[in-house]
Amino acid sequence: MLMNRPPTNPLMRNSTSLTLLAKLKEEHALFILQETSDMLKQEANLVDVKSPVTICGDIHGQYYDLMKLFEVGGSLNDNCYLFLGDYVDRGCFGIECLLYLYALKLSYPTKFVLLRGNHECRHLTEYFTFKRECLHKYSEHVYEACIDSFCALPVAALVDSKFFCVHGGISPELNTLNDIATMDRFREPGSHGLLCDLLWADPVSGFGEEDKPNSLVPPGSTFLHNATRGCSYFYTYAAACQFLERTHLLGIIRGHEAQDNGYTMFRKTPTKKFPSVITIFSAPNYLDVYHNRGAVIKYANKNITIRQYNASSHPYWLPNFMDAFTWSLPFVGAKITEMLLAILSICSEEELTEEDSSEEEESRALADASISPADYQQRRQQIKNKIMAVGRMQRVFQLLREESEAASELVATEDISGQPTAGLRVGSDALSVQGNQISRNIRSFDDARRSDLMNERLPVFEVDTSPSGSPTTMFPPPSMRLPSRRASSMGEGLNMEMLIKKTLEEDEDDSPIVERLAERIARGRRVTGRPQPLKRHETT
């Protein structure tokens, strides 16, 4: 994971040169994870941090941007670093980011404070990319060691006893800072409670403008259900001000939400005239499509400075760490079924709409074949079923193709109100040589934000543990960046064999052309009686 040449600065690994990463041996990775877990367990739930300090937001597996962050953030000679969580998932270099930050923590224990984010848990890392990344690059043993370390991470920090730093936000269960100091953090976060809120809560939409006539927030509200996340709360300007007054703090600094400029400063408090909430986000060009800038907060000598930076180039991984052959199989299968249908389409559009053959023709065919009308109808239906099966197989591969595209690019989805939102068009020609769909359909931060909205929710899924639900490596799994349409409708854990079987058993087909084609071929094929076994002929 460390770069293959020694750095001049202990924090930077020459991110601009794209030097290849040298993979750590598994035994070394496990050593770093175990040693860091033991160190983190000794830290308090609420860590005291002294300035000067660089405060960093979400990283999300963007290793090369993390190297850029250290260039912007400054050396350790007169500075320390506070990270607000979300080191893994979504990006392709989560384990590299985690091991590198842990190695820095071990080397400079007082210079690095690492807090927990909502993605530092089993639930999200199994749903998104980090578990698959660990299994691809190492083993389940390494993944389990990562999960153990996540439960040891502190959940909040106080900078100079002035700033409350946390990944998500505040909670209706957070009355005093002692509530954090006495909580049990060494566990998997639930879907409610103080730990959940610290990791998941957000400022309400229109934060600071709740008192305006057109505000949708009921007067006097402090906490509202967070429908965007599917858990925790939205907290209002009033809730933030009340918390700061109770705790005698200056402001709340948090991450958790992508920001176009890398940061957002919200409305100032009425008493101390300082931004009540500051959101910082340190993953530039998030998911390679957001077009946002990254930022860090430098706090020194009672002055706050925002430093922004752009994304760095990085090596490319196929979605979900698949190889090119596996990822391309649905595209090949779709083309094969298209060719089969083209071969079978020997009838013109006019021929497909012709009336049925005359009774005399059918009677003559039955007499020539010496079969009964019932057998004739059975053979006719068998032929039709085979043609219909080809049409249904075409739908299977089209669906798998859509899943492959969804895994690599954001696609159009629905927001929490059920209304379709702007995003990528997915269809039979969505991935083609004519151009990259993502460059034409997601042109701005807002486009990407709307397309990715469903992935901001706490995922709800049940793992299929039945033998028939065992995963397959032959075809791509559902997208980890977007809830799978196939998985949601048919169940998680479907493998290719199950999908084909289910499709061939369907009675209906949504393609009238294929159905008419099948009917025409079944009617037009000459009846030759029962099929005979193949004969073996000797050759000389």
Side-chain angles (χ1 to χ4, degrees):
M1 304 296 173
L2 301 181
M3 307 305 285
N4 60 7
R5 60 181 177 184
T8 56
N9 185 320
L11 296 181
M12 294 178 288
R13 304 295 179 188
N14 196 9
S15 63
T16 57
S17 66
L18 287 185
T19 308
L20 294 178
L21 297 175
K23 180 180 176 181
L24 288 178
K25 292 182 178 179
E26 181 165 331
E27 60 195 82
H28 299 154
L30 289 170
F31 174 82
I32 292 175
L33 291 167
Q34 184 60 55
E35 291 295 311
T36 309
S37 295
D38 293 341
M39 179 179 290
L40 292 172
K41 289 175 183 177
Q42 305 306 314
E43 295 187 345
N45 294 346
L46 181 65
V47 183
D48 285 319
V49 179
K50 302 299 181 184
S51 62
V53 60
T54 298
I55 304 174
C56 312
D58 300 33
I59 304 300
H60 280 299
Q62 297 183 198
Y63 178 86
Y64 291 85
D65 296 318
L66 177 62
M67 298 300 103
K68 183 68 174 180
L69 179 153
F70 286 130
E71 292 181 18
V72 173
S75 71
L76 296 179
N77 295 332
D78 56 353
N79 186 46
C80 65
Y81 281 83
L82 168 60
F83 285 84
L84 303 181
D86 275 11
Y87 314 108
V88 302
D89 273 339
R90 313 306 297 273
C92 295
F93 304 97
I95 189 64
E96 287 86 355
C97 289
L98 190 69
L99 290 177
Y100 186 55
L101 288 172
Y102 280 2
L104 289 173
K105 175 68 176 177
L106 290 175
S107 301
Y108 310 96
T110 62
K111 292 288 188 177
F112 282 88
V113 176
L114 306 177
L115 302 185
R116 190 176 193 175
N118 65 306
H119 277 264
E120 276 71 63
C121 70
R122 184 182 301 275
H123 194 61
L124 265 68
T125 53
E126 287 185 351
Y127 181 79
F128 286 99
T129 55
F130 184 64
K131 182 176 182 179
R132 181 169 283 108
E133 180 184 349
C134 287
L135 298 182
H136 176 77
K137 297 177 181 178
Y138 287 106
S139 67
E140 188 152 3
H141 194 189
V142 169
Y143 173 71
E144 292 297 331
C146 291
I147 295 299
D148 290 341
S149 72
F150 292 161
C151 292
L153 288 165
V155 294
L158 281 181
V159 175
D160 285 356
S161 298
K162 292 182 178 179
F163 302 102
F164 178 70
C165 299
V166 68
H167 181 72
I170 56 178
S171 167
E173 299 183 24
L174 180 57
N175 297 309
T176 68
L177 296 179
N178 191 56
D179 293 329
I180 298 178
T182 58
M183 68 180 293
D184 175 21
R185 80 172 192 263
F186 299 98
R187 57 188 176 88
E188 181 79 0
S191 58
H192 61 277
L194 179 56
L195 179 58
C196 172
D197 297 338
L198 293 173
L199 304 181
W200 281 92
D202 294 302
V204 71
S205 179
F207 182 90
E209 299 180 351
E210 296 93 331
D211 53 350
K212 291 188 176 181
N214 58 348
S215 174
L216 300 178
V217 179
S221 298
T222 52
F223 292 93
L224 305 171
H225 173 65
N226 194 330
T228 300
R229 303 288 186 179
C231 66
S232 190
Y233 296 93
F234 289 119
Y235 49 94
T236 65
Y237 174 71
C241 290
Q242 291 171 16
F243 168 75
L244 294 173
E245 286 294 325
R246 287 197 309 268
T247 54
H248 308 290
L249 296 173
L250 192 58
I252 300 169
I253 301 177
R254 42 93 65 176
H256 195 39
E257 289 184 292
Q259 304 297 312
D260 196 4
N261 293 315
Y263 74 98
T264 296
M265 290 189 175
F266 292 88
R267 182 179 173 182
K268 296 180 179 179
T269 58
T271 55
K272 299 180 180 178
K273 306 300 181 183
F274 189 86
S276 54
V277 175
I278 301 176
T279 296
I280 193 77
F281 195 77
S282 301
N285 195 24
Y286 184 41
L287 300 182
D288 291 329
V289 297
Y290 267 69
H291 308 293
N292 62 293
R293 303 187 76 181
V296 295
I297 296 174
K298 292 182 67 68
Y299 177 61
N301 301 320
K302 299 183 179 181
N303 291 318
I304 280 186
T305 304
I306 305 291
R307 297 290 304 274
Q308 297 172 296
Y309 53 96
N310 293 319
S312 301
S313 300
H314 63 83
Y316 177 74
W317 279 94
L318 279 169
N320 298 322
F321 308 97
M322 291 181 287
D323 59 84
F325 177 77
T326 301
W327 187 76
S328 65
L329 284 177
F331 301 84
V332 176
K335 290 301 180 184
I336 290 175
T337 53
E338 288 176 12
M339 287 188 291
L340 286 175
L341 285 176
I343 294 172
L344 293 171
S345 297
I346 57 176
C347 305
S348 66
E349 180 67 20
E350 291 77 12
E351 290 175 316
L352 290 175
T353 57
E354 286 181 358
E355 297 296 329
D356 293 344
S357 302
S358 64
E359 294 182 3
E360 292 79 5
E361 292 178 352
E362 291 190 1
S363 299
R364 191 181 306 112
L366 288 173
D368 293 341
S370 300
I371 62 175
S372 66
D375 290 337
Y376 171 72
Q377 292 297 330
Q378 182 181 4
R379 288 286 296 127
R380 176 172 164 176
Q381 186 61 41
Q382 289 174 347
I383 295 172
K384 181 178 178 180
N385 289 343
K386 291 178 181 180
I387 308 303
M388 296 288 286
V390 174
R392 289 194 292 270
M393 282 301 301
Q394 184 184 35
R395 295 209 319 276
V396 170
F397 285 111
Q398 285 176 343
L399 185 60
L400 287 171
R401 177 174 175 172
E402 290 179 3
E403 292 294 346
S404 290
E405 292 164 2
S408 60
E409 300 177 353
L410 299 180
V411 299
T413 182
E414 294 184 352
D415 62 19
I416 56 177
S417 64
Q419 298 299 318
T421 59
L424 281 191
R425 174 178 55 84
V426 172
S428 59
D429 62 341
L431 192 68
S432 61
V433 296
Q434 281 76 26
N436 193 337
Q437 295 299 318
I438 208 163
S439 63
R440 293 204 300 263
N441 294 277
I442 295 186
R443 299 190 179 96
S444 68
F445 176 86
D446 290 336
D447 288 343
R449 180 70 173 170
R450 286 192 296 268
S451 300
D452 198 34
L453 191 61
M454 288 298 294
N455 285 315
E456 299 297 325
R457 295 178 63 83
L458 176 69
V460 178
F461 62 95
E462 295 181 0
V463 179
D464 187 357
T465 58
S466 63
S468 61
S470 58
T472 178
T473 57
M474 182 177 179
F475 277 83
S479 168
M480 294 295 101
R481 291 186 174 180
L482 197 73
S484 168
R485 296 175 298 280
R486 171 164 58 87
S488 62
S489 61
M490 297 183 181
E492 286 284 352
L494 285 176
N495 58 29
M496 187 61 193
E497 182 181 356
M498 291 177 59
L499 184 60
I500 293 176
K501 182 179 179 181
K502 183 176 180 64
T503 303
L504 295 180
E505 290 174 351
E506 291 179 354
D507 294 329
E508 297 180 358
D509 192 282
D510 59 0
S511 175
I513 295 296
V514 174
E515 185 174 1
R516 286 154 55 197
L517 172 64
E519 179 66 25
R520 177 63 183 178
I521 293 176
R523 283 192 287 108
R525 180 168 175 172
R526 184 176 180 181
V527 179
T528 57
R530 297 288 182 184
Q532 299 296 319
L534 294 176
K535 295 181 179 180
R536 184 185 298 272
H537 296 274
E538 297 293 336
T539 58
T540 58

